[in-house]
Amino acid sequence: MLDNMLDALKKTPELLTIYEKLKTTLQERYPATVIACQASQIAFVHDELPYLVVTLPHRKKAGQEPYLILSVFLSKRLDNPRFVQITEPYANVWLHHLFLHCVQDLDTDILQWIDLAYRENELTSIPKITHV
């Protein structure tokens, strides 16, 4: 199913560039990462637990610049104005959603949050991914 998500990204070269930079960065930093692809999202997984999910917006307003939605799994809520939404889909599992409009948005703040999420593999309350 990777082709579905990649096909969607290929329609917007800016988004494909952002995704490729993110993927390369995470594979270099965390070689044990497995990429689990579905039709509408790409999950970055460590020890069968997702620590980051990339999706496209469901709807885009006319004239709005394209962006990727990054969802970072953390064990506690972090308040920061860059997060557009924070949810708790499972007990003690907080999803922090933010937008990436360009490669430069992938900065040290975001990489620190991703690093924290990668190291927090004790998040056993979220469903394990059983197929890749």
Side-chain angles (χ1 to χ4, degrees):
M1 291 219 193
L2 174 60
D3 292 331
N4 291 342
M5 183 68 177
L6 282 180
D7 286 345
L9 289 173
K10 287 176 185 174
K11 292 178 185 176
T12 312
E14 310 88 65
L15 297 183
L16 183 60
T17 300
I18 297 167
Y19 169 73
E20 290 294 338
K21 174 64 176 173
L22 176 67
K23 181 178 92 168
T24 301
T25 300
L26 297 184
Q27 287 176 325
E28 288 171 0
R29 290 171 78 111
Y30 321 114
T33 291
V34 174
I35 300 173
C37 304
Q38 293 143 1
S40 62
Q41 70 179 22
I42 299 173
F44 292 83
V45 179
H46 180 245
D47 288 342
E48 298 182 358
L49 297 173
Y51 63 92
L52 178 75
V53 173
V54 176
T55 56
L56 293 169
H58 295 291
R59 293 182 208 136
K60 192 178 132 211
K61 295 178 184 173
Q64 185 178 34
E65 72 176 88
Y67 61 92
L68 291 177
I69 301 170
L70 214 61
S71 301
V72 183
F73 289 78
L74 295 170
S75 63
K76 62 184 174 207
R77 180 186 177 106
L78 295 180
D79 290 312
N80 187 292
R82 292 184 69 184
F83 296 125
V84 295
Q85 184 180 28
I86 301 172
T87 60
E88 188 181 20
Y90 307 98
N92 301 314
V93 177
W94 293 88
L95 270 176
H96 296 73
H97 307 282
L98 54 104
F99 298 157
L100 294 179
H101 295 278
C102 62
V103 171
Q104 292 77 15
D105 287 344
L106 191 58
D107 61 12
T108 55
D109 285 341
I110 292 176
L111 292 176
Q112 286 175 351
W113 296 325
I114 294 171
D115 184 56
L116 179 60
Y118 181 85
R119 289 182 285 125
E120 290 186 344
N121 283 338
E122 65 269 11
L123 301 177
T124 56
S125 61
I126 56 178
K128 292 198 174 204
I129 294 176
T130 57
H131 63 282
V132 177

